Every structure is written in C-alpha cells, then in structure tokens.
Amino acid sequence: MTTFQTMGLPESLMHTLQSMNFQTPTPIQQQTIPLALSGQDILGSAQTGTGKTAAFGIPLIAKLLKEPQSSALILTPTRELADQVLKQLRIMLGQKTKIQTALLIGGDPMPKQLQQLKRNPQLVVGTPGRVNDHLNRRSLSLKTTNFLVLDETDRMLDMGFSIQIDEILKHMKSERQTLLFSATLAKKISQIAEKYLKNPARISVSSATAPATNIKQENINVHEAEKYTKLCDELDKRTGSIIIFVKTKYNADKMAIKLSKQGYDSDAIHGDLRQNKRERVLTNFRNKKYRILVATDVAARGLDVPHIEHVINYDLPQSPEDYVHRIGRTARAGATGEALNLISGADKAKWYAIEHFINPGSKPPKILKMDSNTKKAPRKSFSKDDKKPFLKKKSGKPFARKKSA
Ligand code: ADP
Ligand code: MG
C-alpha cells in the first residue's frame, strides 16, 4: 500500500501531515499524489468527504516547497470552499512557512486582497468571478503560474462559471500542470478536461454518485402541513450537530428564526448573506456555539465540518447529484452519520429519481417509516417500469465508473 512515507514528500510537509493526524492516505490520495508529483495532469472523481483537498494539496505544496519560482491557482465554486481549502493548505504549509498566499473571493474587501497580492503570493485560492476581477484590473498576473487546480468543477459549471473559467485560462500559459476534480464525470466535465488537460490520468475512486456507505439513510413520509412538527420531533430525538436543508434562502432564514424561538439553537446560511456574516455563521457552527444549521444547497456544497452527525432534508434537492452532496456533509473521513428525508406527496417523484441515481439497478426503495398521521399505506416497492419523470434519458445506464489509473 502507498503510504505518505514512501511518496518522497518534503520533510516539513511530513511533519504538518503528522500534526494534522493524517496517518494513511485515503484511496483518492493514494492514486492521485504519486502521479501528480511526477507532473501528470489529473482528472479525478470521488465521493465527497474522501479527501480530495489533500489529494491536490499535498502535491501542490510539495511543488511550491521544492520550486520557489513555481506558483499555483486553485479555483472553487464558493467563497466558503475557497476559504476552507486555503485554511487546510496553510495548515499543511506550517506556521513557519515563508510562502505567501491570497484568498480572492467575492464579498470580501478589496484592499485586503490587493495587499495580499502585492506580496507576490505563490498560492492563490479564489472563486472565478473575483479572480477575473483582479485579472481585469491587473492586480493579479497568472503569466508564470504553472499549477492549476479546478475543484468541484461540476459545481462551478452548474453555477454558470464556465465562461469565467475560459477567461481565466486565457491568462495562463499552457506549460503548466492541471488537476481537475469533480464529484461526477458528466459530459460537460469531459469537454472541459479535453480543453484544459494534457493526457490526464483518469482517477475515479468507487462510484462517483454513490454516497459514502457509512451514512444511515432514513425516509419519513409526511404531509406537507405536518412537516414542521415532524421535524421538531426528530430534532428532539437526535443529539449532535445537525444540518437541515431547505429549498429557498427565505425559508432558511425563516426556519432558523422559528427554531431558535422554540429553543432549538440554530442559524441559517445561504447565498444572500454578506461574507463576514457567512463566515461568522460557519465558524460558530464549527465551534459548536449552536447545534442546528439551516442551509440551501449552494451554501453547503463542499463544506467540511467534521462533526455533523445528521443531515435532514426538509425539502428534497432539485437534482439527485445535490442529494449526494448534501448527505456527504455527514460521515466525513470515515466517521458515521445519519441522513433523514422528510418526503411529502409532492416530493415522491423527486425521491424516486434520487433513489435511482444513487443506486441504479438496485432493488426498489422502501419507505422505512410512516408518519402515523399519514393515512395512505407506505409504498413498499415499485417496479423498474414505474414512471420516473426525471430519468427518461438516464434510465438503464450504470452510473458507476470503473477504476482507471
Ligand atoms: P472532499 O473534498 O473529497 O469532499 P475533504 O478534502 O474536504 O474531502 O476531506 C474530508 C475530511 O477528511 C477533512 O476533514 C480532512 O481533514 C479529512 N482527511 C482528508 N485526508 C485525510 C487523511 N489522509 N487522514 C485523515 N483525515 C483526512
Ligand atoms: Mg472538496
């Protein structure tokens, strides 16, 4: 088995990995790090929570330490994710490092970022919009940047960043190493990979669409009108940190306020919050200042809070991919977690689509529990030929990818 010790990493990096208690590389790290260290481009996919940050972070830092003239850019879809990635990489760099870094995210004050850029950072992490702002105002130059990471690329494309990414790439030289990570390897991703990667090694660890196996998933059928009461029942039964997903920003705020008033410590995170507020909400959640975070999809994607024990889908997500990402907020790095789905009649079709996505060709889903107020009998099973409106195109196709290194 590949270990960190046999990878030929710089000594200072070995030290910081030890201090972070990273003993053995995760599967995606085992496959990615040696190839990336040898200079290969990488097209990588793996479930959430499998350690992709270090999979690109370790070879990136090794390169920056060995080659002071090298510099790297990491693009992520959201501000929180950029912040989180940079924080982890700074820990890996160690306190004594001379390597300068910059965090270029929207909603953050410009002067701070301009200050960071004046110090010629070797490592820049940012979101596509703000990185482009800096390129346009010439406060950032990527002419010599020779290492590029596209993190959560599927999400960046979903969020409409593809043109921004194209723009950024025009500012970069082609002699560079590029690592692209994505939860799924949809066609759009292959097209981007074709454009920006050179002979990439394709690394795919287990099924990109299957959620981590140590997540216990449970469904409760419930009438829309009784959903909130049911939610409170379930909150009472659970201990530990909980993240509740809702559909809209407005409902996220509303629910956090309502829950707090009733004695359930909670706060909300969504895309309309100012940057410093978002950071405060997250830091307090990480530090367990309150127990329940109500979130929308965009705000929560990629977030790494190690102690989330429960994910509750109050509203089901719009897409099956988002479901995998949501429940991937729990059971990080081998821990166990629970996911609970409150499914109202109107959401059934969505649930079937999700079930099919995470488990193609599997046995039909069981609705495990039935709310006592719901008169209709639980639907025990449905056949393959049942109508699944979301899945017309995809049905029958296996989603699981083969391993290929
Ligand atoms: P992903 O980007 O794949 O969703 P992350 O990179 O955010 O996953 O990692 C998930 C969690 O696993 C983080 O808390 C991280 O610190 C931890 N982790 C990553 N690699 C290791 C490792 N080799 N040993 C122990 N913990 C790890
Ligand atoms: Mg990640």
Side-chain angles (χ1 to χ4, degrees), residues 17 23 34 51 98 138 144-145 179 183 221 236 241 254 258 269 312 329 352-353:
L17 287 178
Q23 313 262 354
K98 293 203 176 67
R138 294 172 197 255
T144 57
T145 302
L179 274 51
N221 270 356
D236 291 338
S241 295
K254 213 172 72 176
K258 197 166 165 186
I269 189 156
I312 298 181
R329 294 311 100 224
Y352 295 152

Side-chain angles (χ1 to χ4, degrees), residues 39 68 73 120:
L73 171 70
N120 285 325

Side-chain angles (χ1 to χ4, degrees), residues 26-27 47-51 206-207 210-218 238 306 308-311 323-324 326-340 358:
T26 65
Q47 300 163 240
T48 53
T50 50
S206 75
S207 158
T213 45
N214 43 354
I215 303 172
K216 187 179 143 219
Q217 298 176 64
E218 184 182 24
R238 283 152 215 268
I308 299 177
E309 276 96 347
H310 304 272
V311 172
Y323 179 80
V324 175
R326 282 182 178 189
I327 72 171
R329 294 311 100 224
T330 184
R332 311 282 290 168
T336 54
E338 291 183 31
L340 174 71
I358 58 180

Side-chain angles (χ1 to χ4, degrees), residues 282-344:
L282 270 180
T283 308
N284 287 342
F285 189 55
R286 281 210 180 90
N287 296 337
K288 304 195 181 180
K289 292 247 167 69
Y290 62 93
R291 192 164 79 95
I292 300 166
L293 178 65
V294 188
T296 57
D297 282 297
V298 170
R301 176 86 174 231
L303 287 187
D304 182 33
V305 179
H307 58 80
I308 299 177
E309 276 96 347
H310 304 272
V311 172
I312 298 181
N313 290 309
Y314 189 80
D315 298 318
L316 284 183
Q318 290 309 317
S319 79
E321 285 94 340
D322 281 337
Y323 179 80
V324 175
H325 281 281
R326 282 182 178 189
I327 72 171
R329 294 311 100 224
T330 184
R332 311 282 290 168
T336 54
E338 291 183 31
L340 174 71
N341 307 310
L342 297 177
I343 302 179
S344 66

Side-chain angles (χ1 to χ4, degrees), residues 4 22 24-26 29 47-53 88 304 332-333:
F4 287 127
F22 281 26
T24 34
T26 65
Q29 291 164 5
Q47 300 163 240
T48 53
T50 50
K52 290 191 283 298
T53 315
Q88 189 175 136
D304 182 33
R332 311 282 290 168

